[in-house]
Amino acid sequence: MSMNKQLPMKKRSGMGAFKHLLGMILRYYPGYFFLVILAILVVSFSSVANSYFVGNILIDQFITPALNQFAANNPVGTIGSAYDIMTTEITIFDFHFFEVIGVMIVIFALGVIGSYVYNFFMAYISQGVQKKIRDELFAHMQDLPVSYFDNHTTGDIMSIYTNDVDALREMLARSIPMIFSSIVSMIACFVIMMMTDLYLMGVVVAFGILMFFLTKFFASHSGKHFVQQQIQLGRTNGYVEEMVSGQKVVKVFNYERRNVAAFTKVNDRLYEEAVKANRYANTLMPTVNQLGNVQYAVIALLGGIFVVNSITGYGFSDLATGTWGHTYTIGIIVSFLLYSKSFVQPIGQMAQQLNTITMALAGASRIFGMIDEPQEVDEGYVELVNAKEDENGNPVEVLENTGRWAWKHPHADGTTTYTWLKGKINVNGVDFGYVRDKIVLHDITVYAEPGQKVAFVGPTGAGKTTITNLLNRFYDIADGKIRYDDININKIKKADLRRSLGMVFQDTKLFTGTVLENIRYGKLDATDEEVYAAAKLANADTFINQLPDGYHTVLKNGGASLSQGQRQLLAIARAAIANPPVLILDEATSSIDSRTEAMVTKGMDQIMEGRTVFVIAHRLSTIKNSDVIMVLDHGRIIERGSHDGLLAEKGKYYQLYTGNAIENK
Amino acid sequence: MAKEKKEKVRKTLTGEIRKYSIKHVLGTLAHQIKTFKRDVALTWICVFLESGLEILIAFFIQFLLQRVRNNDLNGIITWAAIIALMAIAAAGFGILAGYWASSASAGFGRNLRQSMFEKVQTYSFKNIDKFSPASIVTRTTTDVSNVQFAFMMICRTVVRAPFMMIFALIMCFIMAPGLAWIFLVIIPVLLFLLMFIASKVHKRFVLIFNTYDELNESVEEDVDGIRVVKSFDRKGYHIGHFNKVSDFIYRNYVQNEKILSFNNPIMNLAIFAAMILISILGATIITQNVEVTQIEGVISASPLNLGVESLSSLFTYVMIILMSLMMVSMVYVMITIARNSAERIVEILDEDPDIKNKDNPVMEVKNGDVDFNHVYFGYNPNKYVLEDIDVHFKQGETIGIIGPTGSSKTSLVSLMARLYDVNEGEVKIGGVNVKDYDIQTLRDSVAVVLQKNVLFTGTIRDNLKWGKEDASDEEIWAACDIAQASEFLHNFPKGLDTNVVEGGSNVSGGQKQRLCIARALLKDPRILILDDSTSACDTHTDALIREGLSKTKPDVTKFIIAQRVLSIKDCDTILVLEAGGKIVDIGNNDELMKRCSVYRELYESQLGGGDFDVNE
């Protein structure tokens, strides 16, 4: 099987991903989300009220009238001497003032509470959605077909869980609420500006539009480079991964110096892109901020001109006084300066979030792309059930574990029949190709009676492993039929089919956990004694007892601390404890020395008794005593028969066996 | 397990697990800025100027407003122009600051990655065993990115925020000394609260990030072992584990976010409190002393102590000061997050390679004699996997090593290239202790074909040149001839220029092994070690390789580890090992057949031609 893991990750559009996210929030956290929105409204309202209070109320309604009142009460005596300095006894602290301050305190308090409420519930929403996505991804992934994993590298898949889900965190927790509150603030600000003065509002809005376009410009440029940066980051990642994985080879060949030289190139490219991306991004903030100050000057200038020239301004709050139009006051201008800040600040904030959002949506589209990947189709309806014998020797379904199994086969007419699980496998005229047009198995026919041992031999690439991959339906056949106890395997539920086939793979995979847990993986409810027994059968007991903590030794990195042979022994123990009616051993003992293998085989013979066994091996002792040996070449069975029979034929098997030169091509 | 984990959680939360002092971490990282110090300095200068200008703008605004109040149109125009120009200048400095901050931080990240990668190159096998490749990858990419981002923030914000705050405070004291004391109360209280929150969440973040590793591991193992998962129908088992981990992250993250939720309300509270206080006090001060003027019959009163316009500037300063504080706390949280990454980086940089050149090393390997003098070796010091190995070989000998799984065959040969150091005794090559050689010299002379071998992305020629950088095509083909790789290479349409994909998955196992042997041969070594290097080759090819080696490399001492008796039975000397790393017997085939029952048993179990050809 030569797989080229080069298929790109499926993606969904950014907008589609955004909608999906929003949909998830609404589905899982409608109440919290409602509260968050409410809280954001309160917060925005209170900060707008803040600006309004300072300009319109404090200055215009209290300080200025008080000063004017004082001046009126203390007129300067003589004309010509222009001024007089006085210490006043004015107080603006009347009841009305404290009433207003009181109202402000209440509004502010609401703002404080609102901002707590919104942050508090947002924590649940953003973390909850992330958790849901992670769990959903993982659960979905379990039912993706094996070909998906053939076509994508582990690193690529993992980066969805790490980089992409992580990128989402910032967006969910900060960007989305910030954008929402920014928009609310802008609207509130807009309304109050409309109430106060339309001319000055025009200025603020014009600046807002200018900033919007500037933001768009810079963001699109920096976005381009951020994408480049991600690509270079991926390359660096790939280089480091490949080299560090082969670090021991690097050491052995003194390749360090050349390795560093090559890495420097990749690393420098990443540096260059990172600089470019950040330069654009970093230009945005000071530009938007200072544009705010320019706007400040412009408003002051215009306001000044309006005041000096006694121009009449218009605002909807004028209607409250019954007259359309007002003269400009210092209070109006001060408030507007504050409004302009409140109106522009959200634009800056949103601009700041843009890169986060771009990256998050890129991640989200990969995430949902994976969720959109079609899962393995399982149209099977025949189930594997525990059974016991009735008086006629026929199977009857029971709930408890009897150690005996039967196929439960519901029929179209509503009846259900039970067949004993025996382990008879018939492969009939099967063709198969990983890619549609490239058939790698031709017309494969194999009959295995219950309890028989069938061996496959032949050169790499002959299709031995592929046949076993069809039995457990990792891949579906193109043509022909495979029957299991006379049931078409397409009718059997995949999980049940696979449970009934014990697989030991060429490439042993162990999981992080203790040795005990790894063996128990084959049968989750196995007692410690059962585990020890399985380990003894597989001849793994000896070396396990030599490990620092025996059966409780924790294996990490797929059991990297064990030798390849030791890992294979554990894999055999794991299959042994599962106690399946059919065993498939794919080069299961290739790294175990012959002496140990002989011992394993003794144990295996015990487990294999009464079971159908398919074995792929290149070692003679492993296959010699098989009932049938199939010799494969280029996807075809070219010879079949028993060891002695095949030797007598003096064909390919004979050549292989005697170790004579082989003509390959 | 569960108990251990709880203990670990507790220790992380109480801060008992913390390997490095913050000083050490910062010191190590600061050292990596190197050539980009200039960019950092320029960033800070620009940030300084930018924030200074911004503060002045806020100060000048009151003059502008005074002119507005006084209906002084010329004054308005002048001040508006001044402010606008200053804003443009501030923008300029801001852009420049961002410009240099970008190169400073990207450069910092570059240097970090470079130093880490270079450091990893100096690691011995023992050091490599300590870190998983995945973890080194995460550290050089994700962790560096985190630190790099934090660094950029530090360059721009951490400097900017204190500048702004101090400038703004000074201005407040100049404008309204009667008011400014408010800040002296609010700032320390606020700072204390924000830092308290940040320190509260820090430890839990450490815990969360450690759990991230567990989550990644869970995904990695599931993806890698998907065939096992599917064939045992164990998706429920894996989902259960994954959900447990993701749930742990969820709960702890929410806990942290809940604490962080206090940040914003506290800030708002401070802003509002300052507003109200300034309003009340300001109003008092403004109305305390006034100047009454009469111009053209209009009588007006203007405040003396504090102008109405000044209120606006004061409010701006309130915002600046509190926003700066907010930023400081935000950056603090970010540094908190980055701190964990920083520590993981420092861990790589601090790891001391345990095999180093000694001073004045021997630069030449004279011959291929090998002596193991009472060698003891173990991967951890209290458990030897090789005990009292005392064997001696002459240059040009071929030595076969055979023994069961776990008999430390690989460990034995690793000692010759000093991939590991012995615990006791000594290994001598050419009469010199391997520890006395220059490591590169030694490894150039001792070629090891590892059991777990890899080819790298690139052409086959690129891969073979690992053995000799400037190898000519003739040399390459000669090595391939001996390694029996020439035949299949000729069958590849692109020959030596055939591309190898990652992990070498587009060549078969047997082809890969032969290429690896050719690669080692190109080194022209004095000692050649084949560690189970022909296991995927058929017996015939295997024999041809051995034959080629003995013909063309008679002076090279050859060690052959094999599972098949056939591969070693013709060796000059055969070493039979048993589990636990002890020598059972040593001798040639005939001697061993006579006196060594272990060997005889092996021989007989494989008798009859041995293995099948599994590779083309």
Side-chain angles (χ1 to χ4, degrees):
Chain A
M1 276 183 293
S2 73
M3 302 292 172
N4 43 345
K5 302 194 160 198
Q6 276 157 356
L7 284 193
M9 282 288 171
K10 204 171 182 174
K11 280 184 185 171
R12 202 191 272 182
S13 76
M15 207 52 215
F18 185 76
K19 274 186 197 153
H20 191 121
L21 273 177
L22 216 58
M24 282 184 82
I25 295 177
L26 290 174
R27 185 163 64 237
Y28 295 119
Y29 299 98
Y32 286 4
F33 192 60
F34 177 74
L35 278 174
V36 166
I37 289 178
L38 205 67
I40 287 175
L41 285 172
V42 170
V43 174
S44 309
F45 169 70
S46 97
S47 52
V48 171
N50 193 1
S51 316
Y52 191 78
F53 165 71
V54 173
N56 293 30
I57 299 178
L58 185 67
I59 296 180
D60 279 358
Q61 292 187 23
F62 288 101
I63 299 178
T64 310
L67 288 175
N68 289 342
Q69 184 67 43
F70 181 75
N73 292 345
N74 302 278
V76 185
T78 46
I79 295 165
S81 88
Y83 63 91
D84 218 351
I85 297 173
M86 303 192 168
T87 307
T88 72
E89 267 114 41
I90 326 172
T91 177
I92 56 167
F93 299 135
D94 56 3
F95 174 73
H96 182 53
F97 180 77
F98 285 111
E99 202 179 44
V100 171
I101 292 283
V103 170
M104 286 318 294
I105 287 176
V106 170
I107 291 173
F108 288 169
L110 280 177
V112 171
I113 294 168
S115 88
Y116 181 73
V117 166
Y118 119 60
N119 282 291
F120 183 88
F121 286 109
M122 213 48 221
Y124 279 97
I125 294 176
S126 71
Q127 290 303 320
V129 167
Q130 278 182 79
K131 179 179 154 50
K132 288 252 162 25
I133 285 178
R134 281 201 185 99
D135 291 352
E136 192 181 331
L137 262 179
F138 195 79
H140 182 84
M141 188 176 78
Q142 301 307 312
D143 286 320
L144 289 179
V146 170
S147 58
Y148 179 85
F149 298 92
D150 293 337
N151 294 328
H152 298 90
T153 61
T154 309
D156 237 7
I157 297 174
M158 278 180 68
S159 95
I160 292 186
Y161 287 86
T162 54
N163 300 333
D164 295 341
V165 176
D166 256 15
L168 225 50
R169 181 183 69 216
E170 273 303 299
M171 182 173 99
L172 283 170
R174 316 249 177 273
S175 309
I176 289 186
M178 192 173 268
I179 286 180
F180 191 75
S181 84
S182 297
I183 290 172
V184 172
S185 297
M186 283 175 76
I187 292 172
C189 204
F190 188 78
V191 169
I192 206 157
M193 284 195 295
M194 236 160 54
M195 299 292 285
T196 316
D197 188 75
L198 291 173
Y199 292 144
L200 292 177
M201 182 191 90
V203 177
V204 175
V205 170
F207 269 90
I209 291 169
L210 179 62
M211 280 176 203
F212 175 78
F213 281 107
L214 269 177
T215 304
K216 219 177 138 184
F217 173 79
F218 284 119
S220 78
H221 275 267
S222 76
K224 238 184 279 168
H225 288 289
F226 269 116
V227 170
Q228 275 301 315
Q229 182 193 314
Q230 287 305 105
I231 292 172
Q232 288 304 328
L233 190 64
R235 287 203 183 131
T236 313
N237 207 323
Y239 188 84
V240 175
E241 185 179 15
E242 180 168 18
M243 285 305 157
V244 171
S245 303
Q247 194 62 37
K248 292 193 172 179
V249 179
V250 170
K251 301 301 297 183
V252 163
F253 280 94
N254 287 323
Y255 197 77
E256 297 93 332
R257 193 176 38 78
R258 281 180 274 170
N259 203 4
V260 168
F263 175 76
T264 308
K265 273 191 209 155
V266 187
N267 194 17
D268 283 346
R269 280 282 290 149
L270 172 58
Y271 159 74
E272 283 159 21
E273 286 304 333
V275 170
K276 279 186 208 154
N278 284 309
R279 278 191 176 156
Y280 273 107
N282 286 348
T283 305
L284 188 58
M285 277 312 287
T287 311
V288 170
N289 274 342
Q290 300 311 328
L291 214 54
N293 280 326
V294 173
Q295 172 186 260
Y296 214 96
V298 171
I299 289 175
L301 178 67
L302 278 177
I305 291 170
F306 292 161
V307 172
V308 171
N309 294 331
S310 308
I311 286 172
T312 308
Y314 301 95
F316 288 102
S317 63
D318 299 344
L319 296 176
T321 60
T323 45
W324 180 236
H326 57 255
T327 47
Y328 284 92
T329 62
I330 182 87
I332 288 179
I333 293 162
V334 169
S335 323
F336 245 93
L337 292 173
L338 286 172
Y339 298 153
S340 74
K341 278 252 151 111
S342 317
F343 190 75
V344 168
Q345 221 167 29
I347 298 179
Q349 278 173 346
M350 284 197 279
Q352 230 178 351
Q353 300 302 318
L354 256 155
N355 287 319
T356 316
I357 294 171
T358 313
M359 272 154 91
L361 284 185
S365 54
R366 279 158 56 92
I367 291 171
F368 296 122
M370 177 147 155
I371 287 179
D372 288 343
E373 285 282 352
Q375 294 188 323
E376 272 185 283
V377 185
D378 188 3
E379 287 161 350
Y381 52 88
V382 177
E383 285 174 74
L384 195 61
V385 294
N386 277 302
K388 65 175 188 197
E389 217 167 297
D390 68 4
E391 53 275 16
N392 303 322
N394 292 321
V396 180
E397 183 178 354
V398 288
L399 288 174
E400 72 270 16
N401 190 348
T402 53
R404 292 197 68 184
W405 301 87
W407 297 112
K408 180 185 183 183
H409 195 157
H411 298 278
D413 57 10
T415 60
T416 303
T417 53
Y418 290 90
T419 334
W420 284 115
L421 173 68
K422 295 193 201 88
K424 176 181 169 191
I425 305 264
N426 291 354
V427 178
N428 210 330
V430 162
D431 290 348
F432 171 74
Y434 291 103
V435 198
R436 187 163 302 169
D437 308 322
K438 214 178 143 198
I439 298 295
V440 295
L441 286 180
H442 307 269
D443 193 25
I444 299 292
T445 300
V446 178
Y447 293 113
E449 289 303 317
Q452 273 193 332
K453 183 173 174 185
V454 180
F456 295 107
V457 295
T460 305
K464 295 166 297 189
T465 302
T466 309
I467 295 181
T468 64
N469 280 339
L470 299 180
L471 292 183
N472 58 18
R473 289 194 69 197
F474 278 172
Y475 303 93
D476 279 331
I477 52 179
D479 197 18
K481 268 203 180 97
I482 301 178
R483 291 175 178 278
Y484 192 150
D485 289 335
D486 297 322
I487 304 165
N488 187 332
I489 57 167
N490 290 341
K491 292 183 186 166
I492 302 173
K493 280 195 175 162
K494 279 185 177 173
D496 290 2
L497 172 70
R498 288 171 188 164
R499 262 195 301 144
S500 71
L501 303 167
M503 304 276 302
V504 182
F505 297 92
Q506 204 167 355
D507 191 9
T508 309
K509 299 289 179 194
L510 298 175
F511 300 102
T512 299
T514 62
V515 172
L516 198 78
E517 285 165 348
N518 266 290
I519 298 178
R520 190 175 279 153
Y521 190 87
K523 186 185 175 200
L524 294 180
D525 57 355
T527 62
D528 287 2
E529 280 65 38
E530 285 179 272
V531 173
Y532 303 146
K536 283 197 183 100
L537 271 181
N539 208 41
D541 188 58
T542 324
F543 91 81
I544 295 173
N545 283 322
Q546 282 172 0
L547 295 173
D549 294 319
Y551 280 87
H552 296 282
T553 309
V554 176
L555 301 179
K556 283 183 184 147
N557 296 329
S561 55
L562 304 177
S563 76
Q564 182 72 18
Q566 289 168 334
R567 286 202 289 273
Q568 288 192 334
L569 293 182
L570 287 185
I572 292 170
R574 180 169 68 186
I577 205 168
N579 202 11
V582 178
L583 264 177
I584 299 172
L585 309 172
D586 186 355
E587 294 283 13
T589 53
S590 59
S591 294
I592 301 170
D593 60 285
S594 330
R595 212 162 141 247
T596 314
E597 200 208 359
M599 287 191 268
V600 180
T601 316
K602 257 178 244 163
M604 290 296 281
D605 282 345
Q606 265 182 58
I607 329 165
M608 283 195 242
E609 209 171 276
R611 288 171 217 285
T612 315
V613 181
F614 292 91
V615 57
I616 298 173
H618 68 269
R619 192 177 285 150
L620 167 69
S621 49
T622 318
I623 57 151
K624 202 169 159 184
N625 66 348
S626 305
D627 296 299
V628 196
I629 298 168
M630 308 270 172
V631 184
L632 272 109
D633 199 10
H634 292 103
R636 290 174 203 280
I637 296 175
I638 52 170
E639 287 171 27
R640 67 176 77 211
S642 69
H643 173 72
D644 295 332
L646 286 172
L647 277 187
E649 265 180 44
K650 298 223 165 177
K652 178 104 175 176
Y653 184 80
Y654 176 81
Q655 287 182 325
L656 289 164
Y657 174 70
T658 54
N660 288 330
I662 320 292
E663 297 304 319
N664 294 323
K665 303 280 168 334
Chain B
M1 278 296 276
K3 208 175 169 190
E4 266 169 46
K5 181 154 183 196
K6 263 192 194 144
E7 183 62 16
K8 207 173 141 197
V9 170
R10 190 191 65 79
K11 278 193 172 162
T12 315
L13 285 179
T14 52
E16 277 172 52
I17 303 180
R18 181 137 304 280
K19 280 182 227 151
Y20 304 106
S21 71
I22 189 97
K23 203 175 139 202
H24 177 70
V25 173
L26 288 181
T28 313
L29 293 188
H31 182 67
Q32 297 296 330
I33 301 171
K34 290 178 192 161
T35 46
F36 294 95
K37 282 194 184 112
R38 187 194 65 126
D39 299 53
V40 176
L42 286 170
T43 308
W44 284 354
I45 292 171
C46 291
V47 167
F48 181 82
L49 292 172
E50 183 199 11
S51 11
L53 281 170
E54 270 193 64
I55 296 296
L56 280 179
I57 290 170
F59 186 65
F60 287 166
I61 277 166
Q62 59 178 317
F63 299 131
L64 179 65
L65 291 177
Q66 268 169 23
R67 300 305 181 275
V68 173
R69 169 174 279 269
N70 295 343
N71 294 356
D72 173 2
L73 194 55
N74 286 333
I76 293 172
I77 293 169
T78 314
W79 283 107
I82 289 174
I83 287 170
L85 283 176
M86 282 171 74
I88 290 164
F93 285 121
I95 290 168
L96 283 177
Y99 182 86
W100 277 307
S102 305
S103 49
S105 62
F108 176 59
R110 180 205 168 274
N111 286 349
L112 275 180
R113 280 189 298 271
Q114 194 75 19
S115 297
M116 289 168 80
F117 192 78
E118 285 176 17
K119 186 74 184 195
V120 170
Q121 299 309 308
T122 68
Y123 281 7
S124 73
F125 272 38
K126 213 171 195 164
N127 299 124
I128 298 168
D129 292 339
K130 201 172 138 184
F131 300 99
S132 70
S135 142
I136 294 180
V137 173
T138 322
R139 287 166 204 242
T140 40
T141 52
T142 313
D143 285 333
V144 169
S145 296
N146 284 346
V147 170
Q148 182 180 326
F149 187 65
F151 182 73
M152 188 161 84
M153 282 303 182
I154 292 171
C155 276
R156 297 189 68 208
T157 325
V158 163
V159 178
R160 183 186 153 97
F163 276 168
M164 295 282 274
M165 197 165 86
I166 291 165
F167 283 153
L169 260 181
I170 293 172
M171 288 304 188
C172 286
F173 272 101
I174 293 174
M175 281 170 60
L179 279 180
W181 61 269
I182 295 173
F183 295 111
L184 295 186
V185 178
I186 290 178
I187 292 173
V189 172
L190 192 58
L191 205 61
F192 171 77
L193 286 175
L194 293 178
M195 290 301 162
F196 179 73
I197 289 174
S199 72
K200 260 258 186 288
V201 296
H202 167 70
K203 283 165 195 157
R204 201 173 286 276
F205 270 130
V206 174
L207 184 69
I208 290 167
F209 289 118
N210 289 342
T211 317
Y212 267 173
D213 283 352
E214 218 174 302
L215 190 87
N216 293 347
E217 186 182 80
S218 177
V219 176
E220 187 178 14
E221 289 191 341
D222 186 74
V223 172
D224 264 354
I226 193 72
R227 285 161 197 267
V228 178
V229 176
K230 280 181 184 281
S231 59
F232 281 97
D233 186 27
R234 285 285 176 266
K235 67 177 182 191
Y237 178 82
H238 287 268
I239 290 174
H241 180 251
F242 183 88
N243 288 0
K244 222 165 71 191
V245 179
S246 80
D247 195 58
F248 184 84
I249 291 176
Y250 164 74
R251 278 183 293 113
N252 280 286
Y253 226 116
V254 166
Q255 192 109 8
N256 255 3
E257 293 272 357
K258 277 203 258 183
I259 299 172
L260 284 175
S261 297
F262 281 105
N263 261 349
N264 279 325
I266 288 175
M267 276 307 298
N268 284 338
L269 191 64
I271 291 174
F272 293 148
M275 286 288 211
I276 299 263
L277 282 174
I278 289 174
S279 300
I280 296 174
L281 286 172
T284 318
I285 295 173
I286 288 171
T287 50
Q288 229 165 41
N289 256 329
V290 294
E291 175 192 59
V292 180
T293 52
Q294 185 175 13
I295 298 162
E296 292 166 13
V298 181
I299 301 167
S300 62
S302 21
L304 281 176
N305 295 1
L306 184 69
V308 175
E309 304 78 17
S310 307
L311 267 188
S312 166
S313 293
L314 273 176
F315 286 132
T316 312
Y317 290 142
V318 171
M319 292 302 276
I320 287 175
I321 289 170
L322 297 179
M323 278 301 165
S324 306
L325 276 178
M326 182 76 180
M327 242 167 220
V328 169
S329 91
M330 249 168 62
V331 171
Y332 186 77
V333 170
M334 213 166 54
I335 291 176
T336 291
I337 295 173
R339 180 172 164 184
N340 197 40
S341 290
E343 281 175 4
R344 287 159 55 95
I345 291 170
V346 170
E347 213 177 323
I348 294 272
L349 293 174
D350 270 7
E351 175 82 13
D352 223 5
D354 72 332
I355 293 181
K356 282 188 229 164
N357 261 351
K358 62 178 282 180
D359 299 330
N360 303 316
V362 181
M363 297 302 287
E364 196 200 343
V365 178
K366 286 232 168 56
N367 59 53
D369 292 352
V370 178
D371 296 283
F372 284 84
N373 295 331
H374 299 285
V375 167
Y376 288 80
F377 170 70
Y379 292 97
N380 44 40
N382 39 26
K383 206 176 171 202
Y384 290 130
V385 297
L386 286 171
E387 280 182 54
D388 198 21
I389 302 293
D390 194 66
V391 285
H392 311 271
F393 308 105
K394 284 273 160 247
Q395 166 160 336
E397 264 187 82
T398 304
I399 301 103
I401 302 175
I402 198 156
T405 310
S407 58
S408 312
K409 303 181 289 275
T410 302
S411 311
L412 181 73
V413 294
S414 300
L415 300 176
M416 284 186 275
R418 211 185 159 200
L419 302 178
Y420 296 95
D421 270 341
V422 297
N423 295 64
E424 272 178 62
E426 56 178 8
V427 178
K428 284 185 169 178
I429 305 284
V432 177
N433 190 328
V434 289
K435 290 184 181 173
D436 295 336
Y437 281 112
D438 169 62
I439 294 172
Q440 187 161 347
T441 308
L442 177 71
R443 290 186 186 153
D444 273 338
S445 305
V446 182
V448 190
V449 182
L450 297 170
Q451 188 179 10
K452 245 190 158 179
N453 227 316
V454 268
L455 294 176
F456 297 90
T457 314
T459 63
I460 288 179
R461 181 186 276 105
D462 293 340
N463 269 286
L464 292 175
K465 279 192 173 173
W466 276 54
K468 189 179 180 201
E469 208 172 345
D470 54 356
S472 66
D473 273 17
E474 287 74 47
E475 287 174 295
I476 291 178
W477 283 115
C480 290
D481 284 342
I482 304 172
Q484 301 300 314
S486 299
E487 193 191 319
F488 72 81
L489 280 177
H490 284 304
N491 280 332
F492 287 170
K494 285 191 185 161
L496 288 176
D497 293 314
T498 306
N499 266 312
V500 178
V501 302
E502 192 184 334
S505 57
N506 60 342
V507 289
S508 79
Q511 289 170 341
K512 195 162 121 186
Q513 286 188 332
R514 281 176 267 176
L515 289 172
C516 290
I517 294 173
R519 181 169 67 179
L521 284 172
L522 275 165
K523 280 170 82 172
D524 196 18
R526 290 202 178 277
I527 297 172
L528 176 68
I529 299 167
L530 304 180
D531 187 355
D532 211 3
S533 308
T534 52
S535 59
C537 299
D538 60 272
T539 41
H540 180 67
T541 310
D542 185 18
L544 285 177
I545 294 172
R546 274 179 286 119
E547 199 180 306
L549 282 175
S550 62
K551 249 189 227 152
T552 56
K553 305 276 175 191
D555 294 336
V556 174
T557 318
K558 297 167 279 285
F559 288 84
I560 299 172
I561 296 180
Q563 306 280 356
R564 303 171 181 145
V565 175
L566 203 64
S567 305
I568 52 127
K569 80 178 185 22
D570 297 326
C571 291
D572 303 318
T573 316
I574 298 166
L575 215 58
V576 185
L577 291 174
E578 65 176 5
K582 291 195 192 81
I583 296 177
V584 181
D585 207 339
I586 179 166
N588 64 29
N589 182 53
D590 296 343
E591 291 163 5
L592 291 174
M593 281 302 281
K594 262 182 230 143
R595 63 167 190 246
C596 179
S597 62
V598 177
Y599 184 77
R600 202 165 44 237
E601 217 178 287
L602 267 175
Y603 189 97
E604 277 160 7
S605 72
Q606 295 183 18
L607 192 77
D611 305 349
F612 278 98
D613 171 24
V614 288
N615 289 289
E616 58 222 270

